[in-house]
Amino acid sequence: MLAAQLTQLHDGAIPALAETLAVVDGADDTLTAGLARLDEPGAAAWAALAGAVGGTPLAARVTEAAGAVRTGALTEDHLAALAGARSALLGAAHDALLDRLDTALGRSRAPWAATPAAPAASLPALAGARAWLHELALAGWRGTDHELLSGAAAPIEAALAEPALRRLAVLLDGLAAELRAALPVAALPQVPARRWADLWTRAVLLSHGAHGEIAPGEPVSGRLLPLGVDVHEHDTAFQAQVHALLEPAGGGTARLVRVTVVAAKVATIVGPAGWRLLEAYPILLTALAQRRAVTVTDLTAHGADLRWAEERATLGEPADPFATARVLLAGATAAATAPLLRHPATIAEPVLVEGYTVRDDDGAPALDLDGRPLRLATGRLPAAGPLTPALVAASTACLGLLRWDDGRWLLQPLAVRATVRKQTVEAHNGDWACGVTDPKTAKAEAKAGDAVAVLRERAGRLLRR
């Protein structure tokens, strides 16, 4: 699409969006101070949250919970109601933003079809998680200390022992780890209130059985055409999320899908070495590095997410992602978002943008949309790929993800086409999936040594003892 088409993203303020996010911010501020030390403005913030869902089925329960916050008689069920209301408001904001985006792109979206939710299991691990999250909300982020965080160990261990609760266990572990790394939180000039409240909200809902609300699984077959890969690097994990188009085997409209593969790691494995951790997926990595299509048979799809299985995939012919996007992306159907994932931060819609110029916007690169800036999220460029801020700034075509962050739209580049020294070059995040192709980077990697090989050799030695 031409960059000018994206000007519709700025077609006036979305009704009630700012007010909705302000209500959520007010509730988040009270979690910073702790619900055990709630003042009058804090009580008013939760009353405002209850008022915001007043016309919904949540109204009675949330009003009761907001009253319990004021009186100090807060129970775990009250917290679940408040977390549900907060999630519902952010879900409404997500839907409004996605509707604006779909209108600008002319993108059709499949309706949500939920599977019947299974009865919530009354497992001891869930009770332990709910109790710890209750204590955390009462103490608040500023009141967090080592003793409180040590209390997370038992529910995390219990949840890890139950396969159905692994998602909750990892979330609790991550939240506790972030809080522990920030100690003493009381001394921080500013806390990431929205992020920690998001993690707490998701954990509360999962501990009350919300994990059963997913898209129904269905077998899919056809030709998978990768558009780009969003690489997430963390001290303990390396994840590649491939955004692609699936042409159904029996014909029909192409659909937007995602394939996510992840591996655990240690902090010393950084940059391109992370791809070595995904060697169990050679077909997927080769498709990214060589820009090829993949024929898939009977993969399970949950909405937009395909559960990857190498034995059901076969490499196909070369497929230029830019050509794929130019021909098929405009008419592709996107999947609906699962209710628990409806949040402005989860919006990541693939787009192809051409015919633009890059200009400076308060020190950050941005596309010029008829005088309105669309910032380029160069801070999201991974060290495991060849894209650089300079290359993005010189680009004239970009395959990327449209995101919403900090009150504005951003474009996260996954691949760019640019003119460098009068030569047209392309760079994709997945170009190094099977090994570094840039000579300078390869030389630096060789000099630094193969961290993955060293760690595997040392682990093998320990296992042989």
Side-chain angles (χ1 to χ4, degrees), residues 177-343:
E178 286 197 19
L179 289 168
R180 189 175 294 109
L183 290 177
V185 181
L188 292 180
Q190 186 175 2
V191 301
R194 172 70 65 81
R195 174 173 173 77
W196 286 350
D198 284 342
L199 296 176
W200 176 85
T201 298
R202 179 71 61 86
V204 169
L205 295 176
L206 290 177
S207 71
H208 281 78
H211 56 279
E213 196 174 40
I214 61 173
E218 58 169 323
V220 295
S221 301
R223 191 169 68 137
L224 191 70
L225 300 164
L227 295 171
V229 58
D230 185 13
V231 179
H232 298 262
E233 299 178 70
H234 189 271
D235 282 351
T236 60
F238 183 90
Q239 175 181 285
Q241 186 172 76
V242 181
H243 291 263
L245 287 164
L246 178 69
E247 290 185 311
T253 304
R255 55 192 284 187
L256 279 164
V257 294
R258 295 184 297 259
V259 173
T260 303
V261 290
V262 63
K265 75 176 189 70
V266 295
T268 53
I269 299 175
V270 295
W275 291 110
R276 293 281 309 278
L277 303 173
L278 301 179
E279 290 176 345
Y281 311 103
I283 292 176
L284 186 63
L285 297 190
T286 302
L288 291 174
Q290 299 181 6
R291 304 173 197 168
R292 294 170 66 178
V294 181
T295 300
V296 298
T297 305
D298 291 333
L299 290 186
T300 301
H302 294 277
D305 293 298
L306 296 186
R307 186 176 299 170
W308 188 252
E310 283 278 313
E311 66 275 12
R312 297 181 181 178
T314 306
L315 277 173
E317 71 284 356
D320 175 17
F322 281 95
T324 297
R326 196 174 295 113
V327 174
L328 296 175
L329 189 54
T333 299
T337 306
L340 197 60
L341 301 179
R342 290 165 59 241
H343 188 293

Side-chain angles (χ1 to χ4, degrees), residues 26-427:
D28 291 353
D29 288 342
T30 69
L31 288 172
T32 299
L35 301 187
R37 295 176 295 276
L38 202 66
D39 55 15
E40 196 59 35
W46 288 109
L49 184 78
V53 297
T56 74
L58 291 171
R61 292 185 62 186
V62 178
T63 299
E64 178 187 342
V69 171
R70 182 183 293 273
T71 62
L74 197 63
T75 67
E76 292 172 7
D77 287 340
H78 288 143
L79 284 182
L82 296 175
R86 182 183 180 280
S87 181
L89 288 182
L90 288 170
H94 166 278
D95 292 350
L97 289 164
L98 201 58
D99 180 68
R100 170 65 62 88
L101 187 149
D102 285 343
T103 299
L105 302 181
R107 181 162 294 170
S108 59
R109 193 166 298 275
W112 171 253
T115 53
S122 57
L123 299 172
L126 291 178
R130 288 194 291 264
W132 183 73
L133 291 165
H134 188 194
E135 291 181 21
L136 186 60
L138 292 177
W141 316 133
R142 295 289 190 191
T144 303
D145 56 22
H146 285 289
E147 183 179 357
L148 176 58
L149 294 178
S150 66
I156 290 171
E157 184 178 357
L160 282 172
E162 298 285 345
L165 302 182
R166 297 281 170 82
R167 185 179 179 192
L168 173 62
V170 171
L171 181 52
L172 290 175
D173 189 44
L175 175 57
E178 286 197 19
L179 289 168
R180 189 175 294 109
L183 290 177
V185 181
L188 292 180
Q190 186 175 2
V191 301
R194 172 70 65 81
R195 174 173 173 77
W196 286 350
D198 284 342
L199 296 176
W200 176 85
T201 298
R202 179 71 61 86
V204 169
L205 295 176
L206 290 177
S207 71
H208 281 78
H211 56 279
E213 196 174 40
I214 61 173
E218 58 169 323
V220 295
S221 301
R223 191 169 68 137
L224 191 70
L225 300 164
L227 295 171
V229 58
D230 185 13
V231 179
H232 298 262
E233 299 178 70
H234 189 271
D235 282 351
T236 60
F238 183 90
Q239 175 181 285
Q241 186 172 76
V242 181
H243 291 263
L245 287 164
L246 178 69
E247 290 185 311
T253 304
R255 55 192 284 187
L256 279 164
V257 294
R258 295 184 297 259
V259 173
T260 303
V261 290
V262 63
K265 75 176 189 70
V266 295
T268 53
I269 299 175
V270 295
W275 291 110
R276 293 281 309 278
L277 303 173
L278 301 179
E279 290 176 345
Y281 311 103
I283 292 176
L284 186 63
L285 297 190
T286 302
L288 291 174
Q290 299 181 6
R291 304 173 197 168
R292 294 170 66 178
V294 181
T295 300
V296 298
T297 305
D298 291 333
L299 290 186
T300 301
H302 294 277
D305 293 298
L306 296 186
R307 186 176 299 170
W308 188 252
E310 283 278 313
E311 66 275 12
R312 297 181 181 178
T314 306
L315 277 173
E317 71 284 356
D320 175 17
F322 281 95
T324 297
R326 196 174 295 113
V327 174
L328 296 175
L329 189 54
T333 299
T337 306
L340 197 60
L341 301 179
R342 290 165 59 241
H343 188 293
T346 66
I347 295 175
E349 290 292 312
V351 293
L352 168 63
V353 190
E354 298 178 291
Y356 59 79
T357 56
V358 178
R359 68 176 177 87
D360 180 80
D361 179 44
D362 291 333
L367 303 189
D368 189 347
L369 306 181
D370 289 342
R372 296 177 178 178
L374 174 63
R375 283 199 178 183
L376 291 158
T378 52
R380 288 179 174 265
L381 297 179
L387 266 69
T388 63
L391 195 58
V392 171
S395 68
T396 54
C398 176
L399 262 170
L401 300 175
L402 275 175
R403 292 185 175 274
W404 175 266
D405 184 49
D406 196 25
R408 67 169 72 212
W409 290 104
L410 300 174
L411 179 62
Q412 175 190 346
L414 301 181
V416 298
R417 181 176 290 153
T419 301
V420 178
R421 295 178 183 175
K422 299 183 180 180
Q423 297 291 323
T424 300
V425 298
E426 278 189 24

